[in-house]
PDB file of all heavy atoms in Angstrom:
ATOM      1  N   THR R 339       2.837  -9.610  19.062  1.00  0.00           N
ATOM      2  CA  THR R 339       2.018  -9.473  17.856  1.00  0.00           C
ATOM      3  C   THR R 339       0.650  -8.860  18.174  1.00  0.00           C
ATOM      4  O   THR R 339       0.092  -8.133  17.352  1.00  0.00           O
ATOM      5  CB  THR R 339       1.834 -10.831  17.153  1.00  0.00           C
ATOM      6  OG1 THR R 339       1.238 -11.777  18.056  1.00  0.00           O
ATOM      7  CG2 THR R 339       3.167 -11.364  16.661  1.00  0.00           C
ATOM      8  N   ASP R 340       0.116  -9.141  19.368  1.00  0.00           N
ATOM      9  CA  ASP R 340      -1.132  -8.479  19.772  1.00  0.00           C
ATOM     10  C   ASP R 340      -0.940  -6.973  19.889  1.00  0.00           C
ATOM     11  O   ASP R 340      -1.847  -6.185  19.589  1.00  0.00           O
ATOM     12  CB  ASP R 340      -1.614  -9.033  21.117  1.00  0.00           C
ATOM     13  CG  ASP R 340      -2.183 -10.437  21.011  1.00  0.00           C
ATOM     14  OD1 ASP R 340      -2.461 -10.891  19.885  1.00  0.00           O
ATOM     15  OD2 ASP R 340      -2.341 -11.085  22.062  1.00  0.00           O
ATOM     16  N   PHE R 341       0.241  -6.568  20.336  1.00  0.00           N
ATOM     17  CA  PHE R 341       0.565  -5.150  20.443  1.00  0.00           C
ATOM     18  C   PHE R 341       0.723  -4.523  19.059  1.00  0.00           C
ATOM     19  O   PHE R 341       0.273  -3.396  18.810  1.00  0.00           O
ATOM     20  CB  PHE R 341       1.855  -4.985  21.247  1.00  0.00           C
ATOM     21  CG  PHE R 341       2.446  -3.606  21.213  1.00  0.00           C
ATOM     22  CD1 PHE R 341       1.886  -2.574  21.943  1.00  0.00           C
ATOM     23  CD2 PHE R 341       3.572  -3.341  20.448  1.00  0.00           C
ATOM     24  CE1 PHE R 341       2.426  -1.299  21.911  1.00  0.00           C
ATOM     25  CE2 PHE R 341       4.131  -2.073  20.412  1.00  0.00           C
ATOM     26  CZ  PHE R 341       3.558  -1.045  21.142  1.00  0.00           C
ATOM     27  N   VAL R 342       1.332  -5.259  18.138  1.00  0.00           N
ATOM     28  CA  VAL R 342       1.636  -4.721  16.810  1.00  0.00           C
ATOM     29  C   VAL R 342       0.405  -4.669  15.902  1.00  0.00           C
ATOM     30  O   VAL R 342       0.248  -3.732  15.107  1.00  0.00           O
ATOM     31  CB  VAL R 342       2.753  -5.561  16.149  1.00  0.00           C
ATOM     32  CG1 VAL R 342       2.924  -5.178  14.683  1.00  0.00           C
ATOM     33  CG2 VAL R 342       4.072  -5.375  16.892  1.00  0.00           C
ATOM     34  N   ALA R 343      -0.476  -5.646  16.012  1.00  0.00           N
ATOM     35  CA  ALA R 343      -1.592  -5.779  15.060  1.00  0.00           C
ATOM     36  C   ALA R 343      -2.412  -4.505  14.876  1.00  0.00           C
ATOM     37  O   ALA R 343      -2.688  -4.112  13.735  1.00  0.00           O
ATOM     38  CB  ALA R 343      -2.492  -6.951  15.475  1.00  0.00           C
ATOM     39  N   PRO R 344      -2.812  -3.789  15.940  1.00  0.00           N
ATOM     40  CA  PRO R 344      -3.607  -2.577  15.719  1.00  0.00           C
ATOM     41  C   PRO R 344      -2.813  -1.425  15.106  1.00  0.00           C
ATOM     42  O   PRO R 344      -3.413  -0.430  14.673  1.00  0.00           O
ATOM     43  CB  PRO R 344      -4.075  -2.201  17.141  1.00  0.00           C
ATOM     44  CG  PRO R 344      -3.923  -3.441  17.951  1.00  0.00           C
ATOM     45  CD  PRO R 344      -2.741  -4.139  17.371  1.00  0.00           C
ATOM     46  N   LEU R 345      -1.485  -1.544  15.071  1.00  0.00           N
ATOM     47  CA  LEU R 345      -0.660  -0.475  14.509  1.00  0.00           C
ATOM     48  C   LEU R 345      -0.514  -0.581  12.999  1.00  0.00           C
ATOM     49  O   LEU R 345      -0.076   0.365  12.347  1.00  0.00           O
ATOM     50  CB  LEU R 345       0.747  -0.506  15.140  1.00  0.00           C
ATOM     51  CG  LEU R 345       0.845  -0.630  16.659  1.00  0.00           C
ATOM     52  CD1 LEU R 345       2.312  -0.599  17.077  1.00  0.00           C
ATOM     53  CD2 LEU R 345       0.061   0.463  17.351  1.00  0.00           C
ATOM     54  N   VAL R 346      -0.886  -1.730  12.453  1.00  0.00           N
ATOM     55  CA  VAL R 346      -0.608  -2.025  11.046  1.00  0.00           C
ATOM     56  C   VAL R 346      -1.621  -1.440  10.061  1.00  0.00           C
ATOM     57  O   VAL R 346      -1.246  -0.982   8.984  1.00  0.00           O
ATOM     58  CB  VAL R 346      -0.505  -3.554  10.859  1.00  0.00           C
ATOM     59  CG1 VAL R 346      -0.391  -3.927   9.387  1.00  0.00           C
ATOM     60  CG2 VAL R 346       0.680  -4.100  11.648  1.00  0.00           C
ATOM     61  N   PRO R 347      -2.938  -1.422  10.340  1.00  0.00           N
ATOM     62  CA  PRO R 347      -3.917  -1.082   9.313  1.00  0.00           C
ATOM     63  C   PRO R 347      -3.756   0.289   8.666  1.00  0.00           C
ATOM     64  O   PRO R 347      -4.044   0.423   7.470  1.00  0.00           O
ATOM     65  CB  PRO R 347      -5.261  -1.187  10.055  1.00  0.00           C
ATOM     66  CG  PRO R 347      -5.012  -2.192  11.124  1.00  0.00           C
ATOM     67  CD  PRO R 347      -3.607  -1.932  11.569  1.00  0.00           C
ATOM     68  N   ILE R 348      -3.331   1.299   9.398  1.00  0.00           N
ATOM     69  CA  ILE R 348      -3.181   2.611   8.766  1.00  0.00           C
ATOM     70  C   ILE R 348      -2.167   2.535   7.627  1.00  0.00           C
ATOM     71  O   ILE R 348      -2.364   3.099   6.545  1.00  0.00           O
ATOM     72  CB  ILE R 348      -2.769   3.672   9.803  1.00  0.00           C
ATOM     73  CG1 ILE R 348      -3.929   3.913  10.771  1.00  0.00           C
ATOM     74  CG2 ILE R 348      -2.372   4.982   9.118  1.00  0.00           C
ATOM     75  CD1 ILE R 348      -3.641   4.947  11.828  1.00  0.00           C
ATOM     76  N   GLY R 349      -1.085   1.803   7.852  1.00  0.00           N
ATOM     77  CA  GLY R 349      -0.106   1.617   6.790  1.00  0.00           C
ATOM     78  C   GLY R 349      -0.678   0.834   5.617  1.00  0.00           C
ATOM     79  O   GLY R 349      -0.370   1.132   4.454  1.00  0.00           O
ATOM     80  N   LEU R 350      -1.512  -0.167   5.904  1.00  0.00           N
ATOM     81  CA  LEU R 350      -2.137  -0.927   4.826  1.00  0.00           C
ATOM     82  C   LEU R 350      -3.028  -0.026   3.979  1.00  0.00           C
ATOM     83  O   LEU R 350      -2.996  -0.076   2.745  1.00  0.00           O
ATOM     84  CB  LEU R 350      -2.965  -2.078   5.401  1.00  0.00           C
ATOM     85  CG  LEU R 350      -2.209  -3.186   6.135  1.00  0.00           C
ATOM     86  CD1 LEU R 350      -3.191  -4.225   6.651  1.00  0.00           C
ATOM     87  CD2 LEU R 350      -1.180  -3.826   5.229  1.00  0.00           C
ATOM     88  N   GLY R 351      -3.839   0.799   4.659  1.00  0.00           N
ATOM     89  CA  GLY R 351      -4.719   1.706   3.928  1.00  0.00           C
ATOM     90  C   GLY R 351      -3.943   2.715   3.100  1.00  0.00           C
ATOM     91  O   GLY R 351      -4.278   2.990   1.944  1.00  0.00           O
ATOM     92  N   ALA R 352      -2.890   3.274   3.690  1.00  0.00           N
ATOM     93  CA  ALA R 352      -2.064   4.245   2.965  1.00  0.00           C
ATOM     94  C   ALA R 352      -1.404   3.592   1.758  1.00  0.00           C
ATOM     95  O   ALA R 352      -1.308   4.188   0.679  1.00  0.00           O
ATOM     96  CB  ALA R 352      -1.013   4.839   3.901  1.00  0.00           C
ATOM     97  N   GLY R 353      -0.942   2.356   1.923  1.00  0.00           N
ATOM     98  CA  GLY R 353      -0.317   1.651   0.805  1.00  0.00           C
ATOM     99  C   GLY R 353      -1.285   1.428  -0.339  1.00  0.00           C
ATOM    100  O   GLY R 353      -0.907   1.538  -1.523  1.00  0.00           O
ATOM    101  N   ARG R 354      -2.544   1.137  -0.024  1.00  0.00           N
ATOM    102  CA  ARG R 354      -3.543   0.952  -1.083  1.00  0.00           C
ATOM    103  C   ARG R 354      -3.819   2.269  -1.814  1.00  0.00           C
ATOM    104  O   ARG R 354      -4.071   2.277  -3.024  1.00  0.00           O
ATOM    105  CB  ARG R 354      -4.841   0.395  -0.500  1.00  0.00           C
ATOM    106  CG  ARG R 354      -4.723  -1.020   0.044  1.00  0.00           C
ATOM    107  CD  ARG R 354      -4.087  -1.957  -0.955  1.00  0.00           C
ATOM    108  NE  ARG R 354      -4.066  -3.341  -0.464  1.00  0.00           N
ATOM    109  CZ  ARG R 354      -3.386  -4.311  -1.051  1.00  0.00           C
ATOM    110  NH1 ARG R 354      -2.643  -4.049  -2.118  1.00  0.00           N
ATOM    111  NH2 ARG R 354      -3.418  -5.542  -0.559  1.00  0.00           N
ATOM    112  N   ILE R 355      -3.775   3.365  -1.107  1.00  0.00           N
ATOM    113  CA  ILE R 355      -3.915   4.662  -1.783  1.00  0.00           C
ATOM    114  C   ILE R 355      -2.726   4.882  -2.720  1.00  0.00           C
ATOM    115  O   ILE R 355      -2.863   5.405  -3.829  1.00  0.00           O
ATOM    116  CB  ILE R 355      -4.024   5.793  -0.745  1.00  0.00           C
ATOM    117  CG1 ILE R 355      -5.345   5.647   0.020  1.00  0.00           C
ATOM    118  CG2 ILE R 355      -3.953   7.168  -1.419  1.00  0.00           C
ATOM    119  CD1 ILE R 355      -5.496   6.611   1.181  1.00  0.00           C
ATOM    120  N   GLY R 356      -1.530   4.466  -2.265  1.00  0.00           N
ATOM    121  CA  GLY R 356      -0.360   4.526  -3.136  1.00  0.00           C
ATOM    122  C   GLY R 356      -0.548   3.681  -4.381  1.00  0.00           C
ATOM    123  O   GLY R 356      -0.159   4.084  -5.491  1.00  0.00           O
ATOM    124  N   ASN R 357      -1.156   2.487  -4.240  1.00  0.00           N
ATOM    125  CA  ASN R 357      -1.465   1.663  -5.410  1.00  0.00           C
ATOM    126  C   ASN R 357      -2.380   2.404  -6.377  1.00  0.00           C
ATOM    127  O   ASN R 357      -2.186   2.352  -7.604  1.00  0.00           O
ATOM    128  CB  ASN R 357      -2.159   0.364  -4.982  1.00  0.00           C
ATOM    129  CG  ASN R 357      -1.253  -0.593  -4.232  1.00  0.00           C
ATOM    130  OD1 ASN R 357      -1.665  -1.215  -3.257  1.00  0.00           O
ATOM    131  ND2 ASN R 357      -0.007  -0.739  -4.661  1.00  0.00           N
ATOM    132  N   PHE R 358      -3.378   3.089  -5.834  1.00  0.00           N
ATOM    133  CA  PHE R 358      -4.336   3.820  -6.670  1.00  0.00           C
ATOM    134  C   PHE R 358      -3.639   4.934  -7.435  1.00  0.00           C
ATOM    135  O   PHE R 358      -3.870   5.122  -8.636  1.00  0.00           O
ATOM    136  CB  PHE R 358      -5.449   4.382  -5.786  1.00  0.00           C
ATOM    137  CG  PHE R 358      -6.541   5.072  -6.548  1.00  0.00           C
ATOM    138  CD1 PHE R 358      -7.480   4.339  -7.268  1.00  0.00           C
ATOM    139  CD2 PHE R 358      -6.646   6.458  -6.565  1.00  0.00           C
ATOM    140  CE1 PHE R 358      -8.497   4.968  -7.973  1.00  0.00           C
ATOM    141  CE2 PHE R 358      -7.655   7.099  -7.262  1.00  0.00           C
ATOM    142  CZ  PHE R 358      -8.578   6.345  -7.972  1.00  0.00           C
ATOM    143  N   ILE R 359      -2.770   5.680  -6.767  1.00  0.00           N
ATOM    144  CA  ILE R 359      -2.045   6.763  -7.430  1.00  0.00           C
ATOM    145  C   ILE R 359      -1.122   6.202  -8.515  1.00  0.00           C
ATOM    146  O   ILE R 359      -0.937   6.818  -9.577  1.00  0.00           O
ATOM    147  CB  ILE R 359      -1.238   7.572  -6.391  1.00  0.00           C
ATOM    148  CG1 ILE R 359      -2.200   8.300  -5.445  1.00  0.00           C
ATOM    149  CG2 ILE R 359      -0.306   8.568  -7.076  1.00  0.00           C
ATOM    150  CD1 ILE R 359      -1.514   8.996  -4.290  1.00  0.00           C
ATOM    151  N   ASN R 360      -0.566   5.025  -8.278  1.00  0.00           N
ATOM    152  CA  ASN R 360       0.332   4.380  -9.248  1.00  0.00           C
ATOM    153  C   ASN R 360      -0.409   3.659 -10.372  1.00  0.00           C
ATOM    154  O   ASN R 360       0.212   3.017 -11.211  1.00  0.00           O
ATOM    155  CB  ASN R 360       1.225   3.359  -8.536  1.00  0.00           C
ATOM    156  CG  ASN R 360       2.528   3.947  -8.058  1.00  0.00           C
ATOM    157  OD1 ASN R 360       2.735   5.155  -8.127  1.00  0.00           O
ATOM    158  ND2 ASN R 360       3.416   3.110  -7.555  1.00  0.00           N
ATOM    159  N   HIS R 361      -1.748   3.746 -10.381  1.00  0.00           N
ATOM    160  CA  HIS R 361      -2.581   3.086 -11.391  1.00  0.00           C
ATOM    161  C   HIS R 361      -2.443   1.570 -11.301  1.00  0.00           C
ATOM    162  O   HIS R 361      -2.509   0.873 -12.315  1.00  0.00           O
ATOM    163  CB  HIS R 361      -2.210   3.553 -12.814  1.00  0.00           C
ATOM    164  CG  HIS R 361      -2.165   5.027 -12.984  1.00  0.00           C
ATOM    165  ND1 HIS R 361      -1.385   5.650 -13.943  1.00  0.00           N
ATOM    166  CD2 HIS R 361      -2.783   6.027 -12.297  1.00  0.00           C
ATOM    167  CE1 HIS R 361      -1.523   6.957 -13.858  1.00  0.00           C
ATOM    168  NE2 HIS R 361      -2.376   7.205 -12.858  1.00  0.00           N
ATOM    169  N   GLU R 362      -2.287   1.055 -10.088  1.00  0.00           N
ATOM    170  CA  GLU R 362      -2.134  -0.375  -9.883  1.00  0.00           C
ATOM    171  C   GLU R 362      -3.442  -0.988  -9.365  1.00  0.00           C
ATOM    172  O   GLU R 362      -4.313  -0.291  -8.871  1.00  0.00           O
ATOM    173  CB  GLU R 362      -1.025  -0.654  -8.863  1.00  0.00           C
ATOM    174  CG  GLU R 362       0.347  -0.167  -9.311  1.00  0.00           C
ATOM    175  CD  GLU R 362       1.385  -0.252  -8.205  1.00  0.00           C
ATOM    176  OE1 GLU R 362       1.004  -0.246  -7.013  1.00  0.00           O
ATOM    177  OE2 GLU R 362       2.570  -0.311  -8.530  1.00  0.00           O
ATOM    178  N   LEU R 363      -3.533  -2.296  -9.483  1.00  0.00           N
ATOM    179  CA  LEU R 363      -4.656  -3.089  -8.967  1.00  0.00           C
ATOM    180  C   LEU R 363      -6.003  -2.634  -9.536  1.00  0.00           C
ATOM    181  O   LEU R 363      -6.944  -2.347  -8.785  1.00  0.00           O
ATOM    182  CB  LEU R 363      -4.703  -3.030  -7.431  1.00  0.00           C
ATOM    183  CG  LEU R 363      -3.392  -3.288  -6.696  1.00  0.00           C
ATOM    184  CD1 LEU R 363      -3.629  -3.264  -5.198  1.00  0.00           C
ATOM    185  CD2 LEU R 363      -2.771  -4.596  -7.137  1.00  0.00           C
ATOM    186  N   PRO R 364      -6.153  -2.564 -10.850  1.00  0.00           N
ATOM    187  CA  PRO R 364      -7.463  -2.201 -11.406  1.00  0.00           C
ATOM    188  C   PRO R 364      -8.508  -3.240 -11.060  1.00  0.00           C
ATOM    189  O   PRO R 364      -8.213  -4.424 -10.902  1.00  0.00           O
ATOM    190  CB  PRO R 364      -7.203  -2.165 -12.922  1.00  0.00           C
ATOM    191  CG  PRO R 364      -6.020  -3.055 -13.118  1.00  0.00           C
ATOM    192  CD  PRO R 364      -5.181  -2.902 -11.888  1.00  0.00           C
ATOM    193  N   GLY R 365      -9.745  -2.786 -10.944  1.00  0.00           N
ATOM    194  CA  GLY R 365     -10.838  -3.693 -10.653  1.00  0.00           C
ATOM    195  C   GLY R 365     -11.411  -4.292 -11.928  1.00  0.00           C
ATOM    196  O   GLY R 365     -10.958  -4.011 -13.041  1.00  0.00           O
ATOM    197  N   ARG R 366     -12.421  -5.109 -11.747  1.00  0.00           N
ATOM    198  CA  ARG R 366     -13.107  -5.683 -12.899  1.00  0.00           C
ATOM    199  C   ARG R 366     -14.112  -4.671 -13.433  1.00  0.00           C
ATOM    200  O   ARG R 366     -14.503  -3.721 -12.763  1.00  0.00           O
ATOM    201  CB  ARG R 366     -13.799  -6.987 -12.503  1.00  0.00           C
ATOM    202  CG  ARG R 366     -12.834  -8.009 -11.916  1.00  0.00           C
ATOM    203  CD  ARG R 366     -13.505  -9.342 -11.626  1.00  0.00           C
ATOM    204  NE  ARG R 366     -12.677 -10.169 -10.735  1.00  0.00           N
ATOM    205  CZ  ARG R 366     -12.952 -11.385 -10.372  1.00  0.00           C
ATOM    206  NH1 ARG R 366     -14.069 -11.971 -10.809  1.00  0.00           N
ATOM    207  NH2 ARG R 366     -12.155 -12.059  -9.554  1.00  0.00           N
ATOM    208  N   VAL R 367     -14.554  -4.904 -14.661  1.00  0.00           N
ATOM    209  CA  VAL R 367     -15.502  -3.996 -15.313  1.00  0.00           C
ATOM    210  C   VAL R 367     -16.811  -3.966 -14.534  1.00  0.00           C
ATOM    211  O   VAL R 367     -17.284  -5.001 -14.044  1.00  0.00           O
ATOM    212  CB  VAL R 367     -15.744  -4.444 -16.768  1.00  0.00           C
ATOM    213  CG1 VAL R 367     -16.825  -3.581 -17.419  1.00  0.00           C
ATOM    214  CG2 VAL R 367     -14.445  -4.372 -17.570  1.00  0.00           C
ATOM    215  N   THR R 368     -17.391  -2.774 -14.400  1.00  0.00           N
ATOM    216  CA  THR R 368     -18.635  -2.601 -13.649  1.00  0.00           C
ATOM    217  C   THR R 368     -19.512  -1.540 -14.292  1.00  0.00           C
ATOM    218  O   THR R 368     -19.012  -0.661 -15.022  1.00  0.00           O
ATOM    219  CB  THR R 368     -18.328  -2.189 -12.195  1.00  0.00           C
ATOM    220  OG1 THR R 368     -19.551  -2.034 -11.477  1.00  0.00           O
ATOM    221  CG2 THR R 368     -17.577  -0.871 -12.136  1.00  0.00           C
ATOM    222  N   ASP R 369     -20.820  -1.625 -14.023  1.00  0.00           N
ATOM    223  CA  ASP R 369     -21.725  -0.573 -14.477  1.00  0.00           C
ATOM    224  C   ASP R 369     -22.205   0.283 -13.308  1.00  0.00           C
ATOM    225  O   ASP R 369     -23.125   1.091 -13.450  1.00  0.00           O
ATOM    226  CB  ASP R 369     -22.927  -1.163 -15.225  1.00  0.00           C
ATOM    227  CG  ASP R 369     -23.710  -2.176 -14.380  1.00  0.00           C
ATOM    228  OD1 ASP R 369     -23.333  -2.396 -13.200  1.00  0.00           O
ATOM    229  OD2 ASP R 369     -24.687  -2.748 -14.891  1.00  0.00           O
ATOM    230  N   LEU R 370     -21.583   0.125 -12.153  1.00  0.00           N
ATOM    231  CA  LEU R 370     -21.934   0.950 -11.002  1.00  0.00           C
ATOM    232  C   LEU R 370     -21.506   2.390 -11.235  1.00  0.00           C
ATOM    233  O   LEU R 370     -20.523   2.650 -11.947  1.00  0.00           O
ATOM    234  CB  LEU R 370     -21.273   0.396  -9.737  1.00  0.00           C
ATOM    235  CG  LEU R 370     -21.795  -0.971  -9.261  1.00  0.00           C
ATOM    236  CD1 LEU R 370     -20.947  -1.509  -8.122  1.00  0.00           C
ATOM    237  CD2 LEU R 370     -23.250  -0.851  -8.836  1.00  0.00           C
ATOM    238  N   PRO R 371     -22.211   3.369 -10.657  1.00  0.00           N
ATOM    239  CA  PRO R 371     -21.945   4.780 -10.969  1.00  0.00           C
ATOM    240  C   PRO R 371     -20.575   5.270 -10.548  1.00  0.00           C
ATOM    241  O   PRO R 371     -20.116   6.302 -11.043  1.00  0.00           O
ATOM    242  CB  PRO R 371     -23.065   5.529 -10.223  1.00  0.00           C
ATOM    243  CG  PRO R 371     -23.564   4.572  -9.185  1.00  0.00           C
ATOM    244  CD  PRO R 371     -23.388   3.215  -9.771  1.00  0.00           C
ATOM    245  N   TRP R 372     -19.897   4.564  -9.627  1.00  0.00           N
ATOM    246  CA  TRP R 372     -18.565   5.020  -9.217  1.00  0.00           C
ATOM    247  C   TRP R 372     -17.449   4.278  -9.957  1.00  0.00           C
ATOM    248  O   TRP R 372     -16.293   4.394  -9.610  1.00  0.00           O
ATOM    249  CB  TRP R 372     -18.391   4.877  -7.710  1.00  0.00           C
ATOM    250  CG  TRP R 372     -18.637   3.490  -7.185  1.00  0.00           C
ATOM    251  CD1 TRP R 372     -17.769   2.440  -7.188  1.00  0.00           C
ATOM    252  CD2 TRP R 372     -19.844   3.012  -6.586  1.00  0.00           C
ATOM    253  NE1 TRP R 372     -18.348   1.323  -6.627  1.00  0.00           N
ATOM    254  CE2 TRP R 372     -19.640   1.652  -6.245  1.00  0.00           C
ATOM    255  CE3 TRP R 372     -21.096   3.613  -6.317  1.00  0.00           C
ATOM    256  CZ2 TRP R 372     -20.625   0.885  -5.649  1.00  0.00           C
ATOM    257  CZ3 TRP R 372     -22.081   2.830  -5.728  1.00  0.00           C
ATOM    258  CH2 TRP R 372     -21.839   1.489  -5.399  1.00  0.00           C
ATOM    259  N   GLY R 373     -17.811   3.510 -10.977  1.00  0.00           N
ATOM    260  CA  GLY R 373     -16.791   2.881 -11.792  1.00  0.00           C
ATOM    261  C   GLY R 373     -15.988   3.931 -12.542  1.00  0.00           C
ATOM    262  O   GLY R 373     -16.474   5.029 -12.835  1.00  0.00           O
ATOM    263  N   MET R 374     -14.752   3.616 -12.864  1.00  0.00           N
ATOM    264  CA  MET R 374     -13.885   4.565 -13.563  1.00  0.00           C
ATOM    265  C   MET R 374     -12.907   3.809 -14.446  1.00  0.00           C
ATOM    266  O   MET R 374     -12.453   2.716 -14.099  1.00  0.00           O
ATOM    267  CB  MET R 374     -13.129   5.450 -12.563  1.00  0.00           C
ATOM    268  CG  MET R 374     -12.279   4.690 -11.563  1.00  0.00           C
ATOM    269  SD  MET R 374     -11.458   5.774 -10.356  1.00  0.00           S
ATOM    270  CE  MET R 374     -12.877   6.321  -9.381  1.00  0.00           C
ATOM    271  N   PRO R 375     -12.588   4.362 -15.629  1.00  0.00           N
ATOM    272  CA  PRO R 375     -11.587   3.711 -16.486  1.00  0.00           C
ATOM    273  C   PRO R 375     -10.190   3.874 -15.898  1.00  0.00           C
ATOM    274  O   PRO R 375      -9.822   4.967 -15.464  1.00  0.00           O
ATOM    275  CB  PRO R 375     -11.727   4.448 -17.818  1.00  0.00           C
ATOM    276  CG  PRO R 375     -12.307   5.780 -17.457  1.00  0.00           C
ATOM    277  CD  PRO R 375     -13.167   5.562 -16.253  1.00  0.00           C
ATOM    278  N   PHE R 376      -9.427   2.785 -15.858  1.00  0.00           N
ATOM    279  CA  PHE R 376      -8.064   2.837 -15.339  1.00  0.00           C
ATOM    280  C   PHE R 376      -7.092   3.145 -16.465  1.00  0.00           C
ATOM    281  O   PHE R 376      -7.170   2.538 -17.541  1.00  0.00           O
ATOM    282  CB  PHE R 376      -7.689   1.513 -14.670  1.00  0.00           C
ATOM    283  CG  PHE R 376      -8.085   1.432 -13.220  1.00  0.00           C
ATOM    284  CD1 PHE R 376      -9.414   1.464 -12.841  1.00  0.00           C
ATOM    285  CD2 PHE R 376      -7.115   1.327 -12.231  1.00  0.00           C
ATOM    286  CE1 PHE R 376      -9.779   1.394 -11.511  1.00  0.00           C
ATOM    287  CE2 PHE R 376      -7.463   1.255 -10.898  1.00  0.00           C
ATOM    288  CZ  PHE R 376      -8.803   1.292 -10.535  1.00  0.00           C
ATOM    289  N   PRO R 377      -6.167   4.060 -16.238  1.00  0.00           N
ATOM    290  CA  PRO R 377      -5.180   4.379 -17.275  1.00  0.00           C
ATOM    291  C   PRO R 377      -4.419   3.141 -17.723  1.00  0.00           C
ATOM    292  O   PRO R 377      -3.961   2.341 -16.914  1.00  0.00           O
ATOM    293  CB  PRO R 377      -4.235   5.369 -16.569  1.00  0.00           C
ATOM    294  CG  PRO R 377      -5.067   5.985 -15.483  1.00  0.00           C
ATOM    295  CD  PRO R 377      -5.983   4.889 -15.032  1.00  0.00           C
TER     296      PRO R 377
END
């Protein structure tokens, strides 16, 4: 598992980008300048 652990994060990051493209996991409402409406 020590060998495997550093190999995992790139896949985690890529999967989250896939969530974003799929319009999944919207955030809470914000007034920050990088906020965006989710479809």
Side-chain angles (χ1 to χ4, degrees):
T339 58
D340 287 346
F341 169 75
V342 170
L345 313 182
V346 173
I348 292 181
L350 295 179
R354 293 309 184 191
I355 293 173
N357 291 139
F358 184 75
I359 294 173
N360 269 7
H361 309 154
E362 298 171 336
L363 312 183
R366 303 185 196 184
V367 175
T368 180
D369 57 2
L370 292 172
W372 55 81
M374 58 182 70
F376 273 64

